[in-house]
Amino acid sequence: MKGVAAALIGIDWGTTSARAYRLDGEGSVQDTREAPLGVQQVRGDFAQAFATLLGDWLHEPVPRIACGMIGSRQGWLEVPYIECPAPLDAFARGLVRTPGGALAIVPGLAGRDDDGTPDVMRGEETQIIGAVGPDAPWSLAVLPGTHSKWAIVRSGAIQTFATYMTGEVYAVLREHSILGRMAEGSGRVFADAAFRRGVQRALTKTSSADTLLHRLFGARTLALRADLAAEDTGDYLSGLLIGSEVAAGRDWATWHGARDATVLLLGSRALCARYAAALHEAGIATVSGPEHAAARGLWRIAKAAQLVP
């Protein structure tokens, strides 16, 4: 927005793209810029990619802060993870600057599941910080995506989290399995009934042998025997996978004492709508997260680090 002085430039820098936010002195987003400059697209010259993304913003004398895969081993520099439980000030203390100090990068978050296996996130922690205020009661943040995250937040600190590879498994099945060939041509119009049927199938266990691997083959046989329209196979498969994630996430949240926490959905509108429908089928109410959660999180971390007054 012309005429409004910037106080901070924030960047959500992911695997495939980077989005920059120009924030004013109240932390409100005045303008955004996005480019296909994710860490997989940049061939090592991140300083040039940074300059390209910011354009004329580069000349504004304000702090710059970024979150996401830019701080990974494949990014500009590797920023160490901080461990759960993680309050806001832990992220502020963990900021690492690029050579020359042009950009401060937010650390990722690490934890362990109940068997001791490590789990990590980069970028989602900043969205959670932006969406859940420091005085909010117990919250269960769900961030759908390639690697979906379920995180328990209390008093502004991320207590623990779990990752589900739902989106990536869906893509692999669509592109490299017999189910993908069955689903060719599907997805042009969202088949809500088929999606909910898949969710319900995932939420209903009929025997000890009734596992996800068994149910996945049913996506083929239902279409093969004309119990499911071939063009609806993709949405049925989506419902089956998201429903399986919801069932697992519900059990995980219950195990950690957060069964009754408010479920906050963060992410793309279309994908969050699917998750809201699946969670509704499981009897779980949801609320939508705020717009520009990553930008809000970057602002809060910058404030805690005293990068902005």
Side-chain angles (χ1 to χ4, degrees):
M1 182 181 295
K2 294 182 178 180
V4 178
L8 181 73
I9 302 297
I11 305 174
D12 183 5
W13 204 327
T15 302
T16 58
S17 66
R19 174 175 289 183
Y21 302 91
R22 187 176 182 274
L23 294 93
D24 66 16
E26 300 298 322
S28 298
V29 175
Q30 298 299 320
D31 199 1
T32 64
R33 289 178 177 174
E34 188 168 6
L37 292 170
V39 297
Q40 287 186 343
Q41 277 68 47
V42 178
R43 298 289 183 254
D45 193 350
F46 286 100
Q48 181 56 52
F50 175 68
T52 300
L53 176 65
L54 263 58
D56 60 334
W57 293 0
L58 193 64
H59 306 297
E60 297 197 61
V62 297
R64 295 92 172 237
I65 184 172
C67 66
M69 293 302 289
I70 192 63
S72 70
R73 193 166 298 173
Q74 296 76 38
W76 198 335
L77 57 83
E78 186 174 7
V79 180
Y81 294 103
I82 60 174
E83 299 288 332
C84 287
L88 174 61
D89 60 357
F91 293 101
R93 291 194 304 270
L95 291 175
V96 175
R97 289 193 172 274
T98 57
L103 182 67
I105 301 180
V106 177
L109 181 62
R112 292 185 179 272
D113 67 15
D114 300 319
D115 290 326
T117 303
D119 204 345
V120 296
M121 66 168 73
R122 283 196 188 273
E124 295 94 347
E125 75 295 318
T126 304
Q127 294 179 60
I128 294 168
I129 290 168
V132 183
D135 300 323
W138 278 92
S139 295
L140 178 57
V142 177
L143 296 87
T146 303
H147 302 153
S148 298
K149 307 291 183 182
W150 290 54
I152 296 172
V153 189
R154 185 180 186 185
S155 300
I158 303 173
Q159 302 292 324
T160 187
F161 66 95
T163 302
Y164 300 90
M165 291 181 63
T166 308
E168 185 163 356
V169 169
Y170 177 76
V172 169
L173 290 172
R174 283 295 303 262
E175 295 169 13
H176 302 290
S177 79
I178 188 68
L179 300 181
R181 290 195 289 274
M182 296 292 294
E184 285 180 1
S186 65
R188 294 188 179 93
V189 177
F190 176 51
D192 180 70
F195 174 80
R196 291 179 185 272
R197 183 179 180 181
V199 171
Q200 292 164 359
R201 180 74 181 91
L203 295 174
T204 306
K205 190 174 181 67
T206 58
S207 71
S208 59
D210 188 15
T211 63
L212 176 60
L213 292 177
H214 171 67
R215 294 167 185 165
L216 285 171
F217 192 68
R220 177 173 187 256
T221 55
L222 284 169
L224 191 65
R225 300 303 297 269
D227 290 326
L228 177 70
E231 63 268 21
D232 293 347
T233 304
D235 287 320
Y236 176 83
L237 178 61
S238 173
L240 196 59
L241 291 171
I242 292 175
S244 297
E245 178 188 329
V246 167
R250 176 181 58 188
D251 291 346
W252 173 83
T254 299
W255 177 261
H256 287 277
R259 174 65 183 266
D260 298 324
T262 299
V263 174
L264 179 69
L265 286 172
L266 297 169
S268 76
R269 186 172 300 177
L271 195 50
C272 283
R274 291 197 179 216
Y275 273 72
L279 286 157
H280 177 77
E281 293 291 335
I284 301 171
T286 63
V287 295
S288 298
E291 187 180 14
H292 301 317
R296 290 162 60 104
L298 289 167
W299 175 260
R300 285 176 174 168
I301 294 169
K303 288 274 286 186
Q306 298 183 343
L307 297 184
V308 292

